[in-house]
Each structure stands twice: as C-alpha cells, then as structure tokens.
Amino acid sequence: MPPSHLPSLLADKPLDHLGIVVVDLEEGSQPYRLLGLEQEGDDEEVSGQHVRVRAFRAGDSLLELLAPTANTGPIARFLKRRGPGLHHLALRVETLEDEIERLTRAGADFIDPLPRPGRGRSRVVFLHPRWAGGVLLELVDYPNL
C-alpha cells in the first residue's frame, strides 16, 4: 500500500475514465445508451492490448467499454477469470514520466513502468492492484493534444 505521508494521487489528478470489460461492445453499450450517455468519438482498437474500446461521456470523465479482439491479452484473461465488469480506474496526469519517477521513488509497484499507447492518442501505464488495495490503477497523459 502507498505510504500515508505521500500526497494523495486523487487530490490533484482528475479521473480520466473507468475501464469496464464487456463481451461485446454493442450489447455492453445498451445500458449506457439507455441512461442517456452519448458515445465519444469512434471505437478504437488498441492492438498492443488486443482490445477494442468504445467511450461514453459521463460528465468530465469517460466510461471506456473494453472488448477483447483475441483470446490473448489482459482483457481476454480478465473476462475468462472474472467475467464482465469494472476493470480499472484511470487518473489523468500532466506528464507520465514525471509521475512514474515520483511514484517509483515512493515505492510504487508498476505492472510495467514503460508508457504504452492508449485510446485517443494517450499514453498509459498501470500500477499493480496489490499496491493500491486491490484496484488496478492506470495513469494517463495526452502529450500530443
């Protein structure tokens, strides 16, 4: 767990999105459409993660629906083990490298500390759930916007 003397990551970092695993994007989208949420942009494939993503705007944040595109990859493994549902919480940061360095010095446990491409021209990195009380945390920046 993060030491209590560290500044809260949530205190100054906005929620970027919640990642929700679904079997099928069309079927998984129905509840959010019925709630009146509108799709944000086009579906996007993140080939390195073997996932197709559809985003819905919910205030200042997004709900990202994640459907596997292959039987391999983290989303397919999650779906096989746990079924559809909440996968991760993503926090927007100013500069990914700065946060990686700061959190590494503080003893954070990353799944992989190297930024990789995400949806919407973002870059992402994941913190291990054992470090964050069982929650998979994603840090996101948008360097090209």
Side-chain angles (χ1 to χ4, degrees):
M1 288 299 289
S4 60
H5 67 278
L6 287 178
S8 169
L9 196 59
L10 287 172
D12 61 350
K13 309 294 188 263
L15 180 66
D16 186 77
H17 68 269
L18 295 175
I20 302 167
V21 173
V22 297
V23 174
D24 174 81
L25 286 180
E26 286 306 315
E27 184 180 318
S29 296
Q30 293 311 311
Y32 304 101
R33 286 193 172 117
L34 287 171
L35 288 169
L37 300 181
E38 293 190 23
Q39 186 171 334
E40 174 106 349
D42 295 327
D43 294 352
E44 193 172 321
E45 188 165 333
V46 182
S47 59
Q49 298 296 308
H50 305 286
V51 68
R52 190 145 189 84
V53 182
R54 177 175 292 167
F56 287 89
R57 174 66 49 199
D60 291 336
S61 301
L62 295 174
L63 301 179
E64 284 189 358
L65 303 187
L66 312 164
T69 58
N71 290 329
T72 60
I75 299 305
R77 285 191 302 272
F78 181 92
L79 194 56
K80 285 176 190 168
R81 287 185 197 141
R82 300 188 181 169
L86 184 61
H87 182 260
H88 67 270
L89 178 138
L91 304 170
R92 191 173 316 138
V93 298
E94 202 59 40
T95 307
L96 211 45
E97 287 80 5
D98 291 348
E99 289 299 320
I100 292 167
E101 182 180 323
R102 181 181 78 79
L103 290 168
T104 298
R105 281 194 317 266
D109 186 8
F110 288 89
I111 289 177
D112 180 357
L114 299 175
R116 57 183 109 176
R119 188 195 67 79
R121 299 187 329 212
S122 67
R123 296 179 318 144
V124 303
V125 67
F126 288 90
L127 290 152
H128 203 287
R130 73 176 157 248
W131 184 77
V135 177
L136 178 62
L137 294 176
E138 177 184 18
L139 304 181
V140 182
D141 77 359
Y142 296 88
N144 300 317
L145 295 183

